[in-house]
Amino acid sequence: MAKGSHFPRGFWDSAFKAEMWRLPSGHLRVFLHLAYGPTAHLSGIYRISVPAIAEDVEMEPDEVRLALRDLEKIGWCDVEYPLIWIRGIGNILDKLGTTRLTKNRAWVTSTDRHLSDLPEGHRLVSAFRDFHGLPSDAGEVGGEVG
């Protein structure tokens, strides 16, 4: 489980829970893996591997891709392979009741180091940096790996 992860109490009273309950049950497995799995990061943006997720949650890769698309449709995340950006319940900022990464210098330092390991110029990395007011990187890349 990702460092600092815990299941947020707010989930049970959220509109997101109501949306999740309308989706097939396998989607909850994918959600739990993405929000609290071994590759999750406090920032909510990190690399994903569809085959690895599929193996961990005992689903087929196409089922995982469908779950990712559906989670994106309900606004929980943005997916552009090989990255995901969790914008709702499941990232540490949401759990702490803030959307501002810059409220804590240690978060900024940790996230800046983390972002340097992600594909330089990836659209989601650039959008994440813009959203949090972090210095931009150069160029844009993308494409499915999983």
Side-chain angles (χ1 to χ4, degrees):
M1 183 177 287
K3 183 178 178 183
S5 292
H6 68 281
F7 201 81
R9 175 83 179 105
F11 171 84
W12 301 105
D13 301 319
S14 70
F16 175 69
K17 181 192 113 180
E19 294 286 344
M20 271 302 293
W21 267 217
R22 290 184 189 102
L23 298 173
S25 61
H27 287 47
L28 181 59
R29 286 195 246 166
V30 174
F31 160 77
L32 291 171
H33 187 281
L34 293 169
Y36 308 105
T39 61
H41 187 266
L42 69 89
S43 63
I45 187 170
Y46 49 89
R47 290 178 192 273
I48 59 172
S49 165
V50 169
I53 294 168
E55 183 177 335
D56 287 348
V57 300
E58 299 179 1
M59 293 170 63
E60 293 298 320
D62 286 343
E63 293 174 303
V64 171
R65 286 185 191 90
L66 174 63
L68 288 168
R69 278 193 301 272
D70 290 345
L71 290 169
E72 189 171 30
K73 281 181 193 172
I74 65 173
W76 182 69
C77 63
D78 288 327
V79 177
E80 190 172 309
Y81 298 104
L83 301 181
I84 188 166
W85 179 11
I86 297 171
R87 294 177 176 259
I89 288 174
N91 67 42
I92 196 168
L93 301 178
D94 176 74
K95 286 180 272 189
L96 296 173
T98 181
T99 58
R100 302 311 311 165
L101 179 72
T102 54
K103 287 188 101 171
N104 182 310
R105 185 71 203 144
W107 296 345
V108 174
T109 301
S110 172
T111 299
D112 192 48
R113 191 174 309 121
H114 172 68
L115 291 175
S116 70
D117 291 335
L118 299 180
E120 185 178 330
H122 192 287
R123 185 191 65 79
L124 289 183
V125 173
S126 297
F128 180 89
R129 287 180 179 280
D130 288 346
F131 181 81
H132 289 290
L134 301 173
S136 296
D137 53 354
E140 288 197 16
V141 297
E144 182 172 353
V145 170

